[in-house]
Amino acid sequence: MTENRKGLDEKEARERLKRIEAFALDQDGTTYLENQPFPWTLQFLDGLRKRGIKYLFLSNNSSKSTAKHVEKLAGLGIDVSEDQVLHSGQVTLEYLKTLPGREKIYLMAVPEVEEEYRAAGFDVDAEDPNYVVLAYDLTFTFEKLEKACRYVRRGVPFFATHHDATWMIGPGEFLPDVGALAAAVTAATGVEAEFLGKPSGVTVEALLRRLGVEKDRVALVGDRLDTDIRMGWDQGILTFLVLSGKTKAEEVEGSPWKPTFVVERTVDILDYLE
Ligand SMILES: [Mg+2]
């Protein structure tokens, strides 16, 4: 664990706010809830545009292609280009492109995400893969698990798009997420995956590259302390915790990862930018 993890002090944070050029926004619990945009979401995005501030949507949901993410947002009345969506499957894809022998992988993913990888030049079911890659695979089977375990046991590096073990689909209702599927491979092989979505540094690099800004010119907005806020804390990036989703205000004190600012709703962030 490095010693560069830290929060920003109030003075430094206020100084940074004046220079913010871009926002990375969480989706669920921040922009919408249970497939309903918050009533203030469009006003917030409009406020950013009026101030000339760029934004993108950052998501630990690798069960959909980028095109489908864009489509989903459009269905909620939020118009974005593919450049403005960065999901953990894409973060992983971009990272793999930097590795040697990356074209030969064994990918566990839904068909449309497989297609995204193929289009980017990957053989997603190579005979002799150099990497095992797990996305949010809603078509996960025993056969896929068995194959992945065989490669991982042979020493093939194992990546997973993100760490979340569950995905909340309604009040008190959860689906198993990538962390749970990765745990099955780990239980059978003793090998832990390297997780690349939020809160990893790999995701930060991908989003800075995408936005074309330096770390001190971007702010992260999200509703989860262990992903959205942790990523900012670990990387020294300014964060806003919104209380419209998973986290209650009283949970902040006991958290090892502190947000720079806490607001009820995304639209309240505009007051910090006047
Ligand atoms: Mg969220």
Side-chain angles (χ1 to χ4, degrees):
M1 211 109 318
T2 53
E3 272 318 302
N4 63 1
R5 38 173 58 206
K6 64 178 182 75
L8 303 171
D9 67 39
E10 174 83 19
K11 187 165 164 274
E12 193 183 355
R14 293 277 167 191
E15 273 309 303
R16 273 209 199 181
L17 273 176
K18 294 181 199 158
R19 304 194 302 265
I20 292 297
E21 290 174 20
F23 273 81
L25 309 169
D26 174 53
Q27 295 187 187
D28 231 338
T30 302
T31 305
Y32 53 76
L33 198 64
E34 289 164 42
N35 295 322
Q36 282 295 324
F38 290 114
W40 54 83
T41 293
L42 294 182
Q43 192 194 337
F44 170 58
L45 298 177
D46 199 42
L48 292 182
R49 275 194 302 272
K50 282 189 179 132
R51 288 165 176 81
I53 294 173
K54 293 184 268 194
Y55 54 88
L56 63 69
F57 290 96
L58 196 56
S59 164
N60 268 5
N61 179 351
S62 57
S63 73
K64 286 203 280 272
S65 63
T66 305
K68 281 277 167 61
H69 276 279
V70 169
E71 215 175 275
K72 175 175 180 174
L73 287 164
L76 301 174
I78 301 164
D79 288 319
V80 288
S81 64
E82 292 203 3
D83 275 354
Q84 286 175 286
V85 170
L86 185 58
H87 62 86
S88 55
Q90 199 65 30
V91 168
T92 302
L93 185 154
E94 286 185 21
Y95 179 68
L96 287 166
K97 278 184 175 174
T98 67
L99 303 179
R102 56 91 169 180
E103 49 290 317
K104 289 200 308 180
I105 65 173
Y106 178 57
L107 175 68
M108 289 169 278
V110 295
E112 68 186 56
V113 170
E114 273 181 16
E115 205 36 64
E116 247 181 353
Y117 276 70
R118 272 202 204 92
F122 290 87
D123 176 355
V124 298
D125 191 12
E127 278 300 309
D128 193 13
N130 293 316
Y131 305 98
V132 169
V133 182
L134 173 65
Y136 193 1
D137 188 3
L138 301 166
T139 55
F140 195 76
T141 59
F142 183 82
E143 193 191 343
K144 287 184 175 186
L145 172 64
E146 188 276 320
K147 218 166 169 180
C149 290
R150 190 156 16 110
Y151 296 136
V152 169
R153 214 175 285 117
R154 267 184 219 162
V156 177
F158 173 33
F159 295 109
T161 56
H162 53 277
H163 193 263
D164 312 40
T166 56
W167 180 26
M168 192 167 106
I169 53 164
E173 281 206 67
F174 300 90
L175 292 180
D177 202 338
V178 169
L181 302 183
V185 177
T186 300
T189 62
V191 178
E192 291 265 358
E194 184 177 337
F195 295 98
L196 300 175
K198 292 187 280 189
S200 77
V202 170
T203 293
V204 170
E205 281 165 32
L207 87 89
L208 295 178
R209 211 163 40 233
R210 180 71 69 84
L211 287 165
V213 293
E214 299 290 328
K215 246 194 227 188
D216 61 348
R217 307 270 165 148
V218 69
L220 306 175
V221 184
D223 70 315
R224 286 182 70 135
L225 291 162
D226 61 346
T227 51
D228 306 307
I229 303 309
R230 178 179 183 175
M231 189 163 77
W233 178 263
D234 284 352
Q235 304 286 329
I237 294 177
L238 190 145
T239 56
F240 285 93
L241 174 71
V242 292
L243 301 176
S244 52
K246 189 178 181 292
T247 307
K248 295 183 178 63
E250 55 270 28
E251 291 172 55
V252 173
E253 205 185 314
S255 167
W257 314 291
K258 310 281 190 225
T260 317
F261 299 106
V262 181
V263 291
E264 290 290 330
R265 316 166 301 167
T266 50
V267 72
D268 302 323
I269 294 169
L270 298 179
D271 298 338
Y272 289 75
L273 304 175
E274 308 296 356

